[in-house]
Amino acid sequence: MEHWDDAKWQLKNRINTLAELEARISLTDVERAGVLLAGSKLAMSITPHFFNLIDPNDPNCPVRRQVIPRLEEGWTAPEEMADPCGEDSHMPVPGLVHRYPDRVLFLVTDRCASYCRYCTRSRVVSGVGEQQLETQWEAAFQYLERTPQVRDVLLSGGDPLLFSDAKLERILTRLRAIPHIEFVRIGSRIPIFLPQRITPELCAMLRKFHPLFISIHCNHPKELTTEVHDALGRLADAGIPMGNQSVLLKGVNDSVEVQRTLVHKLLRCRVRPYYLYQCDLINGSSHLRTSVSKGLEIIEGLRGHTTGYAVPQFVIDGPGGGGKIPLNPDYVLERNEGRTLLRNYEGETFEYPEPTPAPAEALASLREKSSCCH
Ligand SMILES: *Cc1c(COP(=O)(O)O)cnc(C)c1O
Ligand code: SF4
């Protein structure tokens, strides 16, 4: 198509309405109802690029479930929340989340190229939900300037790469001017939703701000198309290290097979799997959440069986504001003062003893031996 490769064309031609959606695929009743509900919760918007990955003949297509709303979204389970990670209560300045001692999450926009139905920030993202994101730019920069313990700033939102090159450059320049900020990263799903945005000009601008990392968000191997592979290659060639944050989603990527294919494809795109998130307790997400044991089973199925670089850390963001908490299969069977009893990925057990200090007599006799040789 004529303008397919142009990010502006992709954004202008997003699928935002029920009519636009139904003109392209036949929806199930559950989806049609979901689309009608979405307008007052989290908007629907799908780039033509991402929409193209949907299998129109498969109502359980893993791409479809991520971006086409469903009726179940309207049901709020008792355990669910509008702000499951307790971000609003950790903002010293509106838009700036300072939970950990040395790093901050800077929410710079409420817009994304497409909207993920399980978005943990759906309370503010897309502009139709119950709250508005009101980032106080100047107050946030001033907070960072006077808070020397912050050495790491994570730009997120929403999706920072929706900004123009010029606007991003202004933000990065201001951050880079702060001497104690050692490390900047951008969290973005644009390389997946809108690879056309990753232009050579963008990459040339970003590379001026090293060390700059990018965390992408990819959940299923189908998302890593040739266009995405090339976009990620341009970022990697600009010297930008990349990690992937994926969300464990029921019916999307909740099997060892899908996750293995995903992590292998990511490495081939020069992206290191970083976190695998247990889905946050966001309102209307129960149909997309799995049990915690599913995540542990996936890690168990990867660790040791494949390249260490391919294995993400499984985490739960502690509900209400606990931050990321790592979960691992139980490789430690027993631990006491004398030894640790372990099992490996194949289930064999091993014992690792604590160090035995050299006895005084042994050291004395060694000392004697060493002195007689001079
Ligand atoms: C995830 C997150 C970070 C970054 O955490 P890392 O483990 O360093 O990637 C920082 N602040 C907040 C509030 C976060 O949610
Ligand atoms: S790209 Fe990120 S911020 Fe945007 S809707 Fe998806 S999960 Fe939410």
Side-chain angles (χ1 to χ4, degrees), residues 21-270:
L21 194 54
E22 293 210 287
R24 287 167 178 83
I25 50 168
S26 55
L27 297 179
T28 63
D29 291 347
V30 162
E31 289 169 333
R32 195 171 303 111
V35 176
L36 293 172
L37 285 173
S40 57
K41 193 180 162 276
L42 172 72
M44 175 181 74
S45 199
I46 312 168
T47 55
H49 165 85
F50 200 71
F51 185 81
N52 212 26
L53 307 180
I54 293 177
D55 178 350
N57 301 312
D58 178 7
N60 296 317
C61 168
V63 174
R64 183 171 186 141
R65 286 178 74 83
Q66 295 183 56
V67 287
I68 297 185
R70 296 174 63 86
L71 174 66
E72 297 93 320
E73 270 182 37
W75 146 251
T76 304
E79 67 276 16
E80 292 174 346
M81 295 169 249
D83 178 18
C85 302
E87 291 176 338
D88 291 341
S89 57
H90 286 79
M91 288 191 192
V93 172
L96 197 66
V97 187
H98 193 180
R99 181 195 320 286
Y100 300 106
D102 70 339
R103 56 205 188 280
V104 294
L105 173 66
F106 194 176
L107 304 178
V108 295
T109 172
D110 60 1
R111 297 305 147 97
C112 301
S114 301
Y115 295 108
C116 312
R117 305 321 304 171
Y118 50 85
C119 178
T120 194
R121 270 176 223 126
S122 53
R123 71 187 184 286
V124 287
V125 158
S126 89
V128 303
E130 48 194 77
Q131 281 173 242
Q132 290 293 120
L133 180 71
E134 274 155 2
T135 303
Q136 304 263 320
W137 288 96
E138 193 49 40
F141 284 126
Q142 286 176 11
Y143 177 86
L144 294 173
E145 282 158 359
R146 67 168 185 268
T147 313
Q149 63 268 35
V150 176
R151 42 160 289 286
D152 170 4
V153 175
L154 164 53
L155 299 177
S156 183
D159 202 317
L161 293 188
L162 266 191
F163 286 159
S164 68
D165 292 3
K167 180 157 185 180
L168 268 172
E169 184 162 10
R170 281 199 300 275
I171 297 168
L172 291 168
T173 302
R174 180 85 188 256
L175 290 175
R176 270 281 163 258
I178 304 174
H180 54 264
I181 294 176
E182 300 167 2
F183 184 72
V184 176
R185 31 180 176 165
I186 299 175
S188 174
R189 209 177 179 190
I190 289 263
I192 304 298
F193 281 148
L194 188 65
Q196 297 81 3
R197 170 73 186 93
I198 312 300
T199 58
E201 294 73 33
L202 174 69
C203 297
M205 185 275 287
L206 292 176
R207 72 181 307 158
K208 294 191 285 187
F209 296 95
H210 279 312
L212 176 77
F213 279 46
I214 289 185
S215 293
I216 67 160
H217 171 179
C218 176
N219 292 323
H220 191 279
K222 270 185 91 171
E223 297 166 33
L224 295 168
T225 63
T226 308
E227 286 153 304
V228 170
H229 171 274
D230 294 349
L232 293 169
R234 289 191 287 278
L235 290 168
D237 284 346
I240 301 171
M242 286 177 288
N244 182 53
Q245 316 201 80
S246 69
V247 182
L248 180 55
L249 297 166
K250 194 166 167 180
V252 174
N253 57 12
D254 56 341
S255 75
V256 175
E257 293 68 41
V258 170
Q259 290 282 347
R260 190 188 298 120
T261 310
L262 172 64
V263 295
H264 286 164
K265 262 185 117 171
L266 283 165
L267 288 187
R268 284 159 64 192
C269 293
R270 293 186 275 174

Side-chain angles (χ1 to χ4, degrees), residues 321-350:
K324 296 174 188 70
I325 302 171
L327 281 87
N328 291 299
D330 298 320
Y331 295 113
V332 178
L333 301 175
E334 202 185 299
R335 197 158 62 87
N336 60 37
E337 276 158 50
R339 53 157 213 167
T340 303
L341 195 62
L342 302 153
R343 77 167 168 86
N344 73 357
Y345 73 104
E346 295 171 305
E348 290 174 88
T349 55
F350 298 87

